[in-house]
């Protein structure tokens, strides 16, 4: 990349150097970082990551150094070029699907083919007839056609039932006519539609014999395969710039009586989910490393000295406010990561059981994943932003690695419906379950078996055994007991549910008037799940199958010790954040709340020496972070100034006087 | 602006039209919007706004229609062009300084001259010697020289004491030598420095006789006035792209032994403050209007019908979750606006008193403004983002008017030091005052006089009269009493302060270990101030001078009524958000907390009919909002599709096949 400004090479950061600060941090760790990384990912996954990373780092197409300076059009062209290349690599390097996924995660830039891979192909695979698969699946996998998924409309997002686009059946020709009756019917937001796709899966209201049968999916060719112009009767365009995701061509589309064969209708729906653990790990990695390098103020009560005796400023990581902000994000990252693993295993178990007709896990799984998606994406978005702010002014620079990352992560809180909609699905399940538990109790039925496997039933039964129970702990360290923690979370969730069910059933409050309570209930339930899963990871029950990764963890006392601190911090800090709900239920007393705060401080001290090592263990490569602040080697300031020298604006000399109409003195300066 | 896609003109949004939805909302208001606008701004300010707005809207230089599509360089050029033009208008139209400020607020894009106006000129004015003023002030006011303010360095932000740049006095020549000893000494972030400025005020450590006298300000010419190249020994550049503010050339600068005359040293420091009320009003305006237009789902318990009897979906503004999110932002906007006014009047009073040697207001004013700056900017940033998310998917589009607005507002939480630093200044004052109140109490001194004028002393005295008092209310509506509200806020602030002082004085906890508590204390104190000021606006004390704007308010029962609801919502919703602190002090009981929630719901219902009118009253013009979602006329969908048609990407036909190396089929399509 072009640099426009020459920085004298003798200038170095003032002491201590960033690399020294990080080395000190790393020497303080009480556990082996490599071992924890292995316990997180396993050996296979790690070797796949390394193999893929080598390919990406050595290919100029995947060079990221220009990315923060690009305008919208340039960024889109770059993303398209990369998407084209990655498809070729997938074929020529014979990557496995896992390796392909890893490559996309490291590339870390949504591209025009993303929806083709994540929605278009899976929908045909899962819902296509044999004929549809023959016609569309093979060309789609070979990327001979590029597809998108057009559901949301200009006037309707989450509410699929409100879609306006129609697909009217014409018996005479055995065709459907796709039509957009209003401006608000325009398909809107579909990724890849704006410029790249030549096919689309379109959700439209099926009209037969004058009857509206509601929304169904159809597959439609939308652009000419040679000229790439929209087909007759179809208007397509990019929807314009967005907060992030500007490397993707989210598009809009209007149909004017477009005919498609009947065989282009699909029969079912599909769903996708995403994870938040890596986003939290990434935010924590950048902020914790930079906080170890960055120094502000001399802490007069506890001054730091260099080996030569000179007093230096204190690393911001030594300030309690910074620790409180950042260590809670480290704890969230681990909590969400482990819950992701356990949920995925539960999902596999469900798939297995369902093939023999046992669907008992489905309701719990669906309810928990809806609420967890809402909770963890909101946690991640808030924590990314808090980590960014904790980096002070430099967090505002694109070079921090936070800005584009935040902007591209943000839509996770919105898509598949606003987070508040998802919480309603969780609450519906919880209310239904609660009524069932009460009913069984009244009939003296015992839930022992189910309550062992279903945590929801377990905590509800516990609550109903004595709705006026109180937490009995008497000292801060009592909060370290996992059973105490789960009892606190369980009581609070059950209490909120009991209140809400009472309001609905006995006081006839409308669902709409309860939406605030409902979002609280979903959060309470999902926090229980997160805490329980973290505890289960550290204390597997005899019935759990322990895999290779868990064995590494359980054979290492130092790993177990540090992760126990992290688990406790997650459990207690999360209570502290939502303390009013725990106090309002009167299960915790104000005095115990004070003890809780003391214990949180204690845990933060406990984690301090391991802070950098805990983020190092996530093993997120510099290539992914693309951050001047979060570099593994601590060369923060050298990178900031190097990247600034490459800002294209520095290639232009402006005429800044208001008395001259000219904007420029020189348009492009000599490059160095 | 070029449009690349032709949308058939017969297509309109499905019924009801946005304009109809807003008309219904406006017809439900219980007060006169124009009257409230007048009560907020006064007649003079309104006529100034209208006059300036007319000029801006009619001048093509200030056309905003292209702004969301611009890359960094283009955006900077546009901002420079606008800054040049506004200076000319200021001179030719003979605008008053107030009109100039209004124009900048409506232009709503930070430009290269911003720091010249807001920091460079005021610093010379306030701190320059007569000689310095002669030399620099007149040319600066005439914009013959353009200045910036270079304080922050690559390695140091808030901690001015840690700056590295040196200014060493050379007695032989009566000069200073400016020098950057390290890479981390590079001046960084200075607005206007990167490309525009030819002068700078530079903070550097004054070294005389080998002694380091700490940071002092110097004025320095940095670029040649003819060629605009940096002067010898000075390296300057733009620091690169940022989350927002990309229309400004924030710059960096390194000095290699640069000599300046001794007379270029200043003697004092300066400070600036900013407001958050308009940012809150703006976010609420967009989100509330769009929520009235946007419809999602049919609420089966309470379906809406058109005049023709057709059942339509419910405006999202009718969902309680949306009301809870948005009405609290309306309340914040009014609360912060009124506190801004009262603080400004207090400041004027202080300036008046101080001229006769009375500085009694200073400590209270300084402590409150530090904490208020931290609290209100954090409130504004969170609320802008929450309003953006409440707009669903479209909130993510730049056309929402939220993205650039959010990005440009965001640094308010960071500059002048991270918000957490400011809270420490507030807490220091509160601890000192608390110790004084206790001391006087012990000596049986009476604080009557001061406690009447100083709210801090008042609530501390109240608390100390009985530290174990409890809130005695017994029904939800009791919370509507302003005295009850202030007693709740006062007790909570005093209780937190009492605990902290006890910890510091008796248990020797270090300041650093208390930073979490300190930020809570500052927030508690400032929330008291915000609530008190809102109440005082509605119930002025006899001693207050009532100005023209307040008279309008007090002569209108309908205005007083609706603002009383808004004031109550602000007071009670803010308690609800931080409920744990109120419960932990045991002043409020869990049962009372339940009543509080009931009363908040009640207030939300009360405000519902006035929601759109309350945001209309802020009278923020479409020109400022530049939002498809927040338009006064409700033409949301028409604007979304019109602006999308202008996306430059739509002028290019891409070749999306991975089997072709070409990126484009056609580079520029025919324009329509």
């Amino acid at each position: 990349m072009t640099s426009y400004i020459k920085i004298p090479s003798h200038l170095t950061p003032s002491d201590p150097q960033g690399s020294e600060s990080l080395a000190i941090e790393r020497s303080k760790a009480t556990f082996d970082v490599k071992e924890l990384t292995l316990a997180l990912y396993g050996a296979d996954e790690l070797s796949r990551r390394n193999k893929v990373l080598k390919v990406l780092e050595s290919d100029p197409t995947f060079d990221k150094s220009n990315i923060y300076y690009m305008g919208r059009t340039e960024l889109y062209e770059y993303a398209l070029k990369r998407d084209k290349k990655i498809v070729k690599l997938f074929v020529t390097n014979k990557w496995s699907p896992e390796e392909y996924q890893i490559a996309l995660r490291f590339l870390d830039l949504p591209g025009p083919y993303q929806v083709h891979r994540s929605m278009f192909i899976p929908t045909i695979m899962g819902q296509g007839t044999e004929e549809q698969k023959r016609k569309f699946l093979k060309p789609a996998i070979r990327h001979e056609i590029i597809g998108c998924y057009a559901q949301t409309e200009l006037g309707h997002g989450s509410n699929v039932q409100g879609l306006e686009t129609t697909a009217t059946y014409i018996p005479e020709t055995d065709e459907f006519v796709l039509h957009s009756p209003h401006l608000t019917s325009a398909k809107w937001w579909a990724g890849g539609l704006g410029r790249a796709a030549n096919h689309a899966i379109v959700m439209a209201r099926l009209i037969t014999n004058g009857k509206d049968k509601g929304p169904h999916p159809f597959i439609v060719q939308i652009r000419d395969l040679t000229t790439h112009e929209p087909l007759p009767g179809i208007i397509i365009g990019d929807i314009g710039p967005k907060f992030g995701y500007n490397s993707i061509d989210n598009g809009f589309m209007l149909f004017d009586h477009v005919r498609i064969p009947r065989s282009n209708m699909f029969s079912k729906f599909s769903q996708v989910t995403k994870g938040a653990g890596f986003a939290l790990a990434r935010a924590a990695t950048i902020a914790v490393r930079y906080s170890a390098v960055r120094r502000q103020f001399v802490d007069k009560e506890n001054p730091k000295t260099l080996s030569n005796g000179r007093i230096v400023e204190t690393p911001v990581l030594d300030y309690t406010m910074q620790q409180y902000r950042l260590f809670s994000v480290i704890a969230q990252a681990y909590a969400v990561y482990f819950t992701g693993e356990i949920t995925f295993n539960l999902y596999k178990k469900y798939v297995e059981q369902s093939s023999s007709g046992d669907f008992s896990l489905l309701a719990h799984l669906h309810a928990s994943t809806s609420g967890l998606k809402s909770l963890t994406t909101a946690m991640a978005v808030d924590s990314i932003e808090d980590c960014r702010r904790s980096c002070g002014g430099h967090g505002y620079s694109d070079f921090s690695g936070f800005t584009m990352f935040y902007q591209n992560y943000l839509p996770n809180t919105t898509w598949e419906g606003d987070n508040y909609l998802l919480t309603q699905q969780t609450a519906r399940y919880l209310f239904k379950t609660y009524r069932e538990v009460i009913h069984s109790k009244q009939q003296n039925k015992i839930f022992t078996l189910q309550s062992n496997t279903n945590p929801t039933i377990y905590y509800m039964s516990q609550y109903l055994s004595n709705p006026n129970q109180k937490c009995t702990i008497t000292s801060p360290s009592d909060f370290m007991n996992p059973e105490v923690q789960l009892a606190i979370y369980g009581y609070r969730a059950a209490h909120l549910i009991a209140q809400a069910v009472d309001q609905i059933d006995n006081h006839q409050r409308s669902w709409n008037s309860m939406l605030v309570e409902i979002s609280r209930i979903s959060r309470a339930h999902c926090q229980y799940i997160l805490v329980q899963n973290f505890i289960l990871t550290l204390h597997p029950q005899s019935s759990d199958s322990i895999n290779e990764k868990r064995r590494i963890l359980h054979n290492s006392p130092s790993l177990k010790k540090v992760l126990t601190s992290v688990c406790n911090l997650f459990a207690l800090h999360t209570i502290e954040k939502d303390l009013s709900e725990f106090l309002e239920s009167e299960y915790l007393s104000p005095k115990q709340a004070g003890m809780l705060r003391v214990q949180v401080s204690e845990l933060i001290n406990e984690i301090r020496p391991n802070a950098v090592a805990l983020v190092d263990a996530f093993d997120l490569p510099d290539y992914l972070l693309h951050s001047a602040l979060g570099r593994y080697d601590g060369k923060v300031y050298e990178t900031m100034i190097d990247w600034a020298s490459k800002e294209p604006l520095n290639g232009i000399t402006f005429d800044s006087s208001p008395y001259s109409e000219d904007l420029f003195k020189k348009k492009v300066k000599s490059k160095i």
Side-chain angles (χ1 to χ4, degrees), chain A:
Chain A
M1 259 212 71
T2 309
S3 188
Y4 299 96
I5 297 171
K6 193 167 166 51
I7 309 296
S9 57
H10 71 271
L11 284 174
T12 59
S14 56
D15 283 333
Q17 301 299 301
S19 51
E20 292 166 7
S21 298
L22 284 180
I24 293 169
E25 292 294 337
R26 287 176 177 132
S27 72
K28 286 191 289 191
T30 64
F31 67 96
D32 180 348
V33 169
K34 286 222 170 75
E35 197 177 33
L36 180 49
T37 303
L38 204 60
L40 286 173
Y41 303 128
D44 289 352
E45 167 86 1
L46 276 177
S47 85
R48 272 195 291 268
R49 286 161 52 105
N50 292 336
K51 175 181 152 191
V52 169
L53 190 58
K54 250 181 222 139
V55 174
L56 298 181
E57 284 180 326
S58 62
D59 186 327
T61 313
F62 303 118
D63 176 23
K64 292 187 184 180
S65 61
N66 216 348
I67 198 170
Y68 293 137
Y69 313 104
M70 292 177 181
R72 169 99 213 267
T73 305
E74 208 181 345
L75 189 65
Y76 179 72
E77 291 170 12
Y78 171 71
L80 179 58
K81 210 185 286 176
R82 267 167 53 154
D83 258 10
K84 287 182 174 215
K85 185 67 185 274
I86 202 86
V87 168
K88 278 190 204 152
L89 278 179
F90 179 54
V91 176
T92 55
N93 288 18
K94 294 212 173 61
W95 277 349
S96 66
E98 290 83 2
E99 286 161 342
Y100 190 43
Q101 285 307 318
I102 290 169
L104 294 173
R105 203 194 307 148
F106 285 157
L107 285 175
D108 183 43
L109 188 77
Y113 295 173
Q114 176 174 298
V115 175
H116 176 74
R117 283 185 300 262
S118 65
M119 298 282 288
F120 186 73
I121 292 178
T123 305
I124 305 175
M125 265 184 179
Q127 300 168 51
T129 60
E130 285 313 308
E131 189 200 332
Q132 287 166 340
K133 284 185 190 168
R134 239 186 339 268
K135 200 165 155 196
F136 300 109
L137 189 56
K138 274 195 183 160
I141 288 173
R142 287 197 298 256
H143 287 67
E144 288 161 8
I145 62 173
I146 304 291
C148 63
Y149 192 92
Q151 174 169 309
T152 304
E153 294 177 356
L154 180 53
H156 282 91
S158 316
N159 181 12
V160 178
Q161 292 306 318
L163 295 177
E164 296 176 351
T165 306
T166 51
T168 308
Y169 183 57
I170 312 291
E172 292 73 20
T173 58
D174 201 21
E175 287 176 315
F176 288 106
V177 177
L178 284 176
H179 187 60
S180 313
H182 304 288
L183 200 63
T184 36
S185 323
K187 291 294 170 187
W188 204 269
W189 282 112
L193 166 62
R195 303 280 89 197
N198 46 38
H199 281 70
I201 290 164
V202 175
M203 291 295 290
R205 314 190 74 79
L206 172 61
I207 314 281
T208 58
N209 295 322
K211 277 189 194 137
D212 184 336
K213 305 279 191 182
H216 280 70
F218 300 81
I219 186 163
V220 192
Q221 182 179 340
I222 56 172
R223 282 191 172 97
D224 185 285
L225 294 186
T226 310
T227 66
H228 205 61
E229 293 297 329
L231 294 182
I234 303 182
I235 295 173
I236 311 178
D238 180 279
I239 63 162
K242 297 143 294 189
F243 200 27
Y245 258 69
N246 285 311
S247 50
I248 272 202
D249 51 328
N250 295 83
F252 69 89
M253 177 158 56
L254 283 159
F255 296 102
D256 182 10
H257 299 94
V258 173
R259 296 199 166 214
I260 56 169
R262 180 174 56 83
S263 58
N264 282 20
M265 186 176 92
F266 284 115
S267 48
K268 291 176 286 178
F269 290 75
S270 74
Q271 275 214 327
V272 282
T273 51
K274 309 222 162 214
F278 278 109
L280 287 159
R282 180 172 175 178
T285 300
I286 299 173
V288 169
R289 284 186 188 154
Y290 177 50
S291 296
V293 171
R294 178 182 172 215
R295 289 160 185 266
Q296 293 279 306
F297 300 104
V298 171
D299 181 356
K300 283 174 195 139
E301 292 163 345
N302 182 24
K304 306 274 159 182
T305 50
L306 290 184
S307 54
N308 63 12
R310 190 162 76 83
I311 290 182
V312 290
E313 293 179 87
T314 300
V316 295
L317 199 54
D318 280 342
Y319 291 105
T320 54
M321 192 75 221
Q322 193 80 349
Q323 295 169 357
Y324 187 83
R325 289 163 97 175
L326 298 185
F327 298 176
S328 57
V329 181
I330 296 178
Q332 289 174 346
Y334 278 94
V336 173
Y337 182 82
F338 290 131
T339 277
E341 277 210 330
I342 289 177
T343 307
F344 185 67
N345 290 337
L346 200 64
Y347 175 74
K348 284 197 293 191
K349 193 169 161 189
Y350 160 70
V351 170
E352 212 178 279
Q353 289 182 351
S354 65
S355 66
S356 60
D358 175 2
F359 296 95
S360 57
L361 278 171
L362 179 63
H364 166 66
L365 197 61
H366 178 69
S368 296
T369 50
S370 298
L372 277 170
K373 193 252 166 197
S374 164
L375 175 65
T376 58
T377 53
M379 261 165 68
V381 164
D382 290 348
S383 294
I384 295 169
E385 176 59 10
D386 205 37
C387 285
R388 191 190 66 72
R389 287 190 212 171
S390 80
C391 293
H394 291 333
Y396 193 68
S397 165
D398 283 354
F399 303 155
S400 67
F402 271 117
T403 57
M404 196 183 261
F405 164 39
Y406 175 77
Q407 290 168 315
N408 286 344
Y409 187 76
L410 200 52
N412 281 291
T413 57
T414 304
W415 58 36
E416 300 164 54
D418 186 276
N419 270 340
Y420 291 106
L421 292 177
L422 290 172
T423 61
Q424 298 184 42
Q425 302 185 18
T426 304
R428 276 203 191 88
Y429 163 75
L430 294 172
F431 294 168
K432 182 167 162 283
T433 307
Y434 183 73
R435 291 190 189 100
E436 284 170 8
V437 173
I438 287 195
H439 186 71
S440 312
K441 221 177 127 70
Q442 285 164 348
Q443 307 202 346
N444 286 321
K445 283 193 191 162
I446 297 165
F447 261 90
T448 328
L449 198 74
Q450 274 232 33
S451 76
N452 268 346
T453 55
N454 185 320
T456 313
I457 295 172
Y458 175 75
Y459 73 64
M460 287 176 179
S461 307
Q462 286 296 106
Y463 172 79
L464 285 167
S465 71
N466 176 12
N468 293 317
Q469 61 196 279
K470 307 271 174 240
C471 180
T472 56
I473 67 143
T474 55
S475 81
S477 62
D478 291 348
F479 276 110
M480 307 285 267
N481 182 341
E483 282 173 24
V484 167
Q485 293 165 4
L486 284 178
I488 294 172
Y489 279 98
Y491 184 90
R492 173 256 211 149
H495 180 76
L496 287 172
I497 293 164
Q499 278 190 316
V501 169
D502 177 62
Q503 291 280 316
I504 291 170
D505 294 354
N506 299 331
H507 300 86
Q508 264 100 54
R509 277 186 66 191
S510 71
W511 186 263
N512 181 23
S513 75
M514 302 279 295
L515 294 178
V516 178
E517 285 91 340
I518 280 166
S519 88
R520 277 193 200 115
I521 284 165
S522 172
R523 187 178 60 211
H525 172 75
C526 293
Q527 286 176 344
Y528 179 96
I529 301 283
L530 284 168
V531 171
Q532 189 201 34
N533 284 340
F534 207 150
I535 292 170
L536 282 177
T537 303
L538 297 172
H539 308 277
Q541 297 185 325
S542 55
S543 62
D544 295 358
S545 61
I546 296 200
N547 61 18
E548 173 219 348
K549 295 190 276 180
R550 288 296 160 276
R551 205 164 295 125
I552 296 165
L553 181 57
H554 292 288
N555 291 339
S556 165
S558 63
L559 287 195
K560 270 190 93 161
K561 183 151 188 275
V562 65
L563 287 182
T564 300
S565 303
V566 174
C567 179
N568 282 322
L569 180 64
F570 178 75
L572 302 190
H573 176 262
T574 306
I575 296 175
E576 194 184 357
K577 260 196 332 185
D578 288 333
L579 194 54
S580 64
E581 286 175 15
F582 295 93
L583 289 172
E584 221 179 319
S585 72
E586 300 191 59
Y587 184 77
L588 277 189
S589 71
K591 207 168 163 190
Q592 288 168 330
M595 294 175 196
L596 178 85
R597 292 194 199 275
V598 171
Q599 195 55 41
V600 168
S601 288
E602 195 58 44
L603 283 164
I604 280 172
N605 284 333
E606 216 170 287
I607 287 169
R608 173 67 188 86
N610 286 317
V612 169
L614 279 168
V615 299
D616 282 350
F618 280 113
D619 196 29
L620 302 180
D622 282 346
Y623 178 78
L624 172 71
L625 302 177
H626 199 48
S627 162
L629 307 185
R631 290 172 65 100
Y632 185 85
D633 66 7
K635 290 189 187 293
V636 168
Y637 302 114
E638 299 90 325
T639 311
M640 286 294 286
I641 208 154
D642 176 48
W643 289 3
S645 305
K646 293 167 179 161
E647 160 66 49
L649 218 50
N650 287 323
I652 306 171
T653 306
F654 289 90
D655 182 340
S656 61
S657 159
Y659 299 102
S660 140
E661 294 279 345
D662 297 336
L663 271 184
F664 314 108
K665 295 271 189 189
K666 275 190 287 178
K667 190 83 197 231
V668 177
K669 283 180 24 174
S670 53
K671 297 168 185 179
I672 54 153

